[in-house]
Amino acid sequence: MSNLTLTRRSVLASGAAALILPRAVLAAPTVLRAEPVVAQILPKGDGKTAMLGLNGTTPGPELRLKQGERLEVRFENHIGSDSALHWHGIRIDNAMDGVPGMTQDPVPDGGHFDYSFVAPDAGTFWYHSHSRSWEQVEQGLYGPLIVEEVAPPKVDHDVTVVIDDWRLQEDGTLMGGFGNRHDFAHAGRLGNYARAVPSRNKVRRGDRLRLRLINTATARVFPVIISGGAGKIVALDGMPLAAPRDINEIVLAPAQRMDLIVDVTEALRFDFPTREDPYELGRIEVEGENPNPIGGDIPTLPAANVATPDTPVHDLTLTMQGGAMGGRHTGDDIWALNGHSGLPDTPFASFKRGETARIRLINDTAFPHGMHLHGHHFFEEADGTLGDLRDTTLLNRNETRDILCVFDNPGKWLLHCHMLGHQAAGMKTWVEVA
Ligand code: C2O
Ligand code: CU
């Protein structure tokens, strides 16, 4: 949080900067049309921004379905170059994972691809381009994907909060240079303007909210302070916690999600802490009083249906290397994993379906990395016990973490840094489950 260079205009604009996410309750099959859009990223009255979006907006429409239901989406590409959509965090059929060159052909401009998959887990997910992602996600090609529990916990409002940053000129123009190697070698492309945009901007005092935080930024790790409500964290990366957890420090790496249930006491603020005053990312205003607050304990979400790890039959190590101020490595790009930059011809590891593996992730670089595994969730291991279930784990500089995963989803799956410029500059590999 020391490298904050965000402009402070959002503080002045405060609540006026309300841009409501389009909320589409799904009647499948649906069409997602990728195309250039003009977005009001800066506060109303300031310049607009030429971006890429889906069905006319960025973020694209919020897709919602019930756990166990099938989502059918025709993706139509009109952005002028190849693209494809990845359904981040869904334990999906490999053929629907949306990775061009690995699970499908790229969708050319003017072409389409039909995605069809069942959502096995209830939770907060998102979709985003996986084609030149450091550029297309930065330009706005993403949206929320919400899988509802069959019997959701009782709340007054279910609110998605999309957190992102952008590198903008004063007039709102999105700055170019997405492939800037200097950015790639450091923390990635950090924006100079950031927002947390809630899907609803007014509630009553006493309302109980489910907040679904999604960090869609390509590089920025967001610490967030929430004030104006009392509650608990109930899920991480779409996976329910065994018991609701106190809200102490909220930190979201790129692609990470967090669900909270909070009772509103006053205007809800989402702040980015800085050494001076907090930088306001967004807020939900309060108007009126809920005469019948739900109250009571924050409920536990129904447990995830993820296999419990056995004694690992594979003990693997994946070392993150390179970058500015980093040591030497044998790869041929800025970043490397175990001495190799970019996708190797052979997988980092091959598993028989159902095998448990422990992977020791070692961050031997001077920057944080959010490592993401496709098609599975894994347990972070803490002191030899199973910790949180995640699909993206944040490793700060010089940090090491063991993850335990039951590789039970057949196919070829990427394992990469979700600082998308790092991925573009070498920090990616893959595993195979047969
Ligand atoms: Cu959300 Cu391979 O990415
Ligand atoms: Cu990285």
Side-chain angles (χ1 to χ4, degrees), residues 213-237:
L213 275 41
I214 310 176
N215 180 358
T216 63
T218 53
R220 185 180 289 278
V221 177
F222 273 97
V224 182
I225 294 172
I226 300 182
S227 55
K232 304 250 186 191
I233 302 166
V234 294
L236 296 173
D237 290 358

Side-chain angles (χ1 to χ4, degrees), residues 174-203:
L174 187 66
M175 288 188 214
F178 302 106
N180 183 303
R181 305 277 294 170
H182 183 268
D183 287 338
F184 285 4
H186 292 77
R189 179 181 161 112
L190 299 173
N192 56 8
Y193 182 73
R195 282 189 323 180
V197 182
S199 58
R200 157 179 288 272
N201 63 1
K202 208 169 276 175
V203 297

Side-chain angles (χ1 to χ4, degrees), residues 245-260:
R245 186 177 296 170
D246 288 341
I247 307 170
N248 295 319
E249 239 208 340
I250 294 179
V251 176
L252 290 171
Q256 286 188 326
R257 289 90 63 212
M258 179 183 285
D259 286 35
L260 306 102

